[in-house]
Amino acid sequence: VRLVESGGGLVQPGGSLRLSCAASGFSSDYYAIGWFRQAPGKEREGVSCVTSSRGRTNVADSVKGRFTISRDNAKNTVYLQMNSLKPEDTAVYYCAADLGAYSCTVVSAYGYDYWGQGTQVTVSS
């Protein structure tokens, strides 16, 4: 299983970025992809997730209304559209896969057995 994140970078407060997570190397029809982030000196935090079937999503309260997750099953790619970015959104963002999942949560990383290498998002003026 391979997960490759892209789309990170430096953006000013109030700006937008779209992260991508390209997944490959598995054949499960049912899976969930979650986005997590970790800032220096802080614990890892769940951001959002989406299932391959029915596109069920969950979004953390800290980003609700600003971040939107979506998927393109044909491309095995999940996107995280991040708007109205704040300095506290600065972190390394990781995507992770939970194979066989019919639903998803980002309350914890339990079940997410496969992880990408991460992409840095820096929100600063």
Side-chain angles (χ1 to χ4, degrees):
V1 178
R2 186 175 185 222
L3 302 170
V4 180
E5 303 98 335
S6 60
L10 173 64
V11 64
Q12 293 186 342
S16 298
L17 282 175
R18 189 178 80 157
L19 305 184
S20 299
C21 174
S24 62
F26 62 93
S27 59
S28 175
D29 290 334
Y30 299 95
Y31 59 91
I33 298 292
W35 284 98
F36 295 81
R37 66 186 182 184
Q38 189 163 22
K42 295 188 177 181
E43 292 188 355
R44 181 174 56 196
E45 175 189 18
V47 177
S48 189
C49 62
V50 63
T51 61
S52 59
S53 65
R54 301 188 179 184
R56 293 173 175 169
T57 64
N58 261 305
V59 183
D61 288 342
S62 59
V63 303
K64 196 167 291 183
R66 300 188 298 121
F67 291 11
T68 303
I69 194 168
S70 62
R71 78 202 196 288
D72 184 335
N73 284 351
K75 295 182 179 180
N76 275 0
T77 299
V78 170
Y79 306 97
L80 185 68
Q81 178 67 43
M82 307 186 296
N83 299 328
S84 302
L85 283 160
K86 305 175 181 180
E88 52 263 43
D89 294 317
T90 295
V92 178
Y93 284 70
Y94 301 89
C95 66
D98 180 356
L99 302 186
Y102 292 84
S103 62
C104 73
T105 179
V106 287
V107 173
S108 79
Y110 180 79
Y112 292 94
D113 296 326
Y114 303 95
W115 292 76
Q117 82 288 350
T119 186
Q120 176 70 47
V121 171
T122 303
V123 185
S124 175
S125 54

